[in-house]
Amino acid sequence: MEIRILFGFCFIIIDICYHKFTGFVIAGFIIMLSGCATHPEPGLANTYGQTIPIADSIIRNAFAGREGALVIIDCSSGAISDFCPNAAAERVAPCSTFKIWNALIGLESGIIASADEAFYRWDGQTRAIPAWNRNLTLKEAFQASCVPAFQALARQIGPESMQSWIENLGYGDRDISAGIDVFWLPAKGRKTILISPVEQARL
């Protein structure tokens, strides 16, 4: 789920991943702050003792009663702010947030050339999400968060190359031993790669 909030001179994009097994929400993003307007409600305290002017009520409404974490990095100063610091530091499965890095690795590896080229050829298996049941470009697969498409991409990248990229990125605990096309997807009895919202935001 993507939430876009605009106020003052501040534009925020939040990518939220809902962990269906634990009910935990991961939210990590980078924010560019340029003269944001002040807000009458208290905002997030950052590492420099200042406050980013985002009302707690906006964040709580975005989480809709779920537990979770929000991490903000001010790109101009490097200040890190978080909502629920304990949750922000907890390592969990990245779920669909890994598709960002999966796609970037595919681009850097030359497997993907553009967002609008043919990316995923549907295998004919009907799945619960209708948008997954057709051929997709990278842009379409990303918008639909098409798990089979990004599993296919991971298989093309391959375990050795993927492990090398994960190591170079310093991505969480770097453990992809669950399998090249499932290591970011939680399931009963499966040990996924683990990364905290703070670690994600710092990448």
Side-chain angles (χ1 to χ4, degrees):
M1 175 172 61
E2 186 175 85
I3 301 173
R4 295 173 182 255
I5 306 169
L6 176 65
F7 57 93
F9 295 98
C10 184
F11 187 65
I12 308 164
I13 301 176
I14 307 173
D15 190 28
I16 295 179
C17 173
Y18 177 56
H19 192 309
K20 66 181 179 180
F21 293 100
T22 65
F24 190 83
V25 179
I26 306 167
F29 63 93
I30 296 176
I31 180 172
M32 294 292 287
L33 293 178
S34 177
C36 288
T38 57
H39 200 284
E41 296 186 50
L44 294 168
N46 66 28
T47 54
Y48 292 91
Q50 301 169 334
T51 299
I52 291 176
I54 302 174
D56 283 354
S57 60
I58 293 175
I59 299 167
R60 294 184 189 283
N61 287 340
F63 280 87
R66 300 187 182 102
E67 295 181 1
L70 177 77
V71 178
I72 300 171
I73 297 179
D74 182 340
C75 295
S76 63
S77 69
I80 297 174
S81 304
D82 52 36
F83 176 82
C84 194
N86 290 338
E90 181 182 355
R91 282 182 165 177
V92 293
C95 304
S96 287
T97 60
F98 185 71
K99 71 179 180 285
I100 298 167
W101 293 100
N102 202 356
L104 288 173
I105 292 168
L107 286 162
E108 288 292 325
S109 302
I111 296 170
I112 306 168
S114 77
D116 296 313
E117 71 174 6
F119 171 66
Y120 171 64
R121 182 174 293 279
W122 181 42
D123 59 10
Q125 180 180 343
T126 302
R127 296 177 174 87
I129 299 175
W132 296 4
N133 300 325
R134 62 186 181 90
N135 296 340
L136 299 169
T137 64
L138 173 61
K139 182 178 179 180
E140 292 168 336
F142 201 89
Q143 289 174 333
S145 194
C146 182
V147 171
F150 287 93
Q151 288 180 303
L153 173 60
R155 289 191 292 269
Q156 285 184 276
I157 294 168
E160 290 186 7
S161 180
M162 182 69 80
Q163 185 70 65
S164 177
W165 279 102
I166 292 294
E167 295 286 348
N168 289 335
L169 287 167
Y171 193 94
D173 69 0
R174 301 166 175 79
D175 183 2
I176 68 169
S177 62
I180 187 58
D181 57 1
V182 295
F183 67 84
W184 67 94
L185 300 169
K188 187 176 181 179
R190 178 188 298 158
K191 163 61 175 75
T192 67
I193 196 168
L194 300 174
I195 189 168
S196 72
V198 168
E199 288 174 315
Q200 287 218 54
R202 284 175 169 165
L203 287 175

